[in-house]
């Protein structure tokens, strides 16, 4: 990246940080950064982690993307679809339960591989930050619709199969006045799955970053 581009990037991030601070200082309601909810009374340490996560996503968006190595995703045949959907629904069930309970350990007991090799810049295995951020809003119910925008698509990987999921994730909240609200939104996620026995196991997740979202053409 050229020096002028770096200076421009620093200026943009600084302006965004100042704007975010100003929005925290006044006004009402929650703030969302790249789809991540920030609560005004959020624990300062958690707020810092969340903002850092958003910053990593912004930086990754500025990195040049090489689409030549990107896999091609296609709709699965009916038999493959039927075998994949139960473990996909199970993953999102445990993800939602972790958000509602805040129990990351129970989630990682079911998906031990997802606790390791986290890479925020690339969106790899970032469940800990996502779950903690949503849980900080004290949701009491939620729904995740994996095929809200489109049916799943798949691509073969070295160790199994990649599944592109384009869905909606929403959590139900209640503020101090007892009024109901929602937090969440659209997401694109690639699940890396391998066959274990007669089922499929999720061993890595890849959240589509901002730059990938703009360029992503499965």
């Amino acid at each position: 990246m050229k020096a002028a581009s770096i200076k421009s990037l620093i200026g943009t991030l600084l302006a965004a940080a100042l704007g975010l601070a100003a929005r925290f200082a006044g006004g009402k309601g929650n703030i969302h950064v790249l789809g991540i909810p920030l609560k005004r009374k959020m624990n300062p340490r958690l707020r810092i982690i969340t903002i850092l996560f958003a910053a990593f996503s912004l930086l990754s968006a500025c990195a040049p993307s090489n689409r030549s190595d990107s896999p091609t995703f296609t709709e699965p045949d009916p038999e493959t679809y039927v075998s994949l959907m139960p473990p996909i629904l199970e993953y999102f069930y445990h993800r939602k339960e972790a958000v509602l309970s805040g129990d990351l350990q129970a989630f990682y007991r079911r998906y031990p591989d997802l606790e390791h090799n986290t890479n925020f810049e690339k969106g790899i295995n970032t469940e800990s930050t996502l779950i903690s951020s949503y849980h900080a809003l004290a949701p009491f119910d939620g729904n995740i619709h994996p095929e809200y925008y489109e049916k799943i698509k798949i691509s073969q990987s070295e160790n199994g199969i990649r599944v592109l999921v384009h869905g909606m994730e929403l959590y139900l909240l209640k503020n101090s006045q007892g009024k109901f609200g929602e937090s969440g939104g659209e997401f694109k996620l690639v699940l890396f799955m391998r066959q274990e026995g007669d089922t499929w196991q999720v061993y890595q997740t890849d959240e589509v970053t901002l730059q990938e979202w703009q360029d992503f053409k499965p």
Side-chain angles (χ1 to χ4, degrees), residues 137-195:
L137 299 178
F140 59 90
D141 198 4
N143 282 300
I144 305 178
H145 306 281
E147 296 186 303
Y148 188 89
Y149 291 99
E150 57 184 310
K151 293 288 187 181
I152 63 167
K153 295 179 180 179
I154 66 171
S155 173
Q156 295 297 319
S157 69
E158 182 178 350
N159 298 318
I161 200 167
R162 304 180 187 91
V163 182
L164 173 63
V165 183
H166 187 188
M168 176 73 75
E169 182 170 20
L170 292 172
Y171 293 98
L172 193 60
L173 318 170
K174 187 187 293 186
N175 65 17
S176 57
Q177 288 76 42
K179 293 183 179 179
F180 286 74
E182 287 183 326
S183 182
E186 180 181 5
F187 68 87
K188 283 184 180 180
L189 178 70
V190 177
L191 300 175
F192 288 72
M193 307 176 73
R194 59 174 172 243
Q195 201 146 22

Side-chain angles (χ1 to χ4, degrees), residues 20 31-38 50-51 54-55 58:
L20 183 62
I31 295 172
H32 290 71
V33 179
L34 297 180
I36 300 174
L38 301 181
T50 306
I51 294 174
L58 284 170

Side-chain angles (χ1 to χ4, degrees), residues 91 107-108 111-116 125 127 202-205:
Y91 164 81
F107 177 82
Y108 286 135
Y111 302 102
D113 296 302
L114 303 186
E115 189 173 5
H116 310 290
N125 296 350
E127 281 86 359
V202 177
Y203 68 91
Q204 180 175 299
T205 61

Side-chain angles (χ1 to χ4, degrees), residues 73-86:
F73 289 88
T74 58
E75 292 188 5
D77 61 74
E79 183 179 356
T80 303
Y81 180 87
V82 169
S83 69
L84 285 174
M85 282 310 296

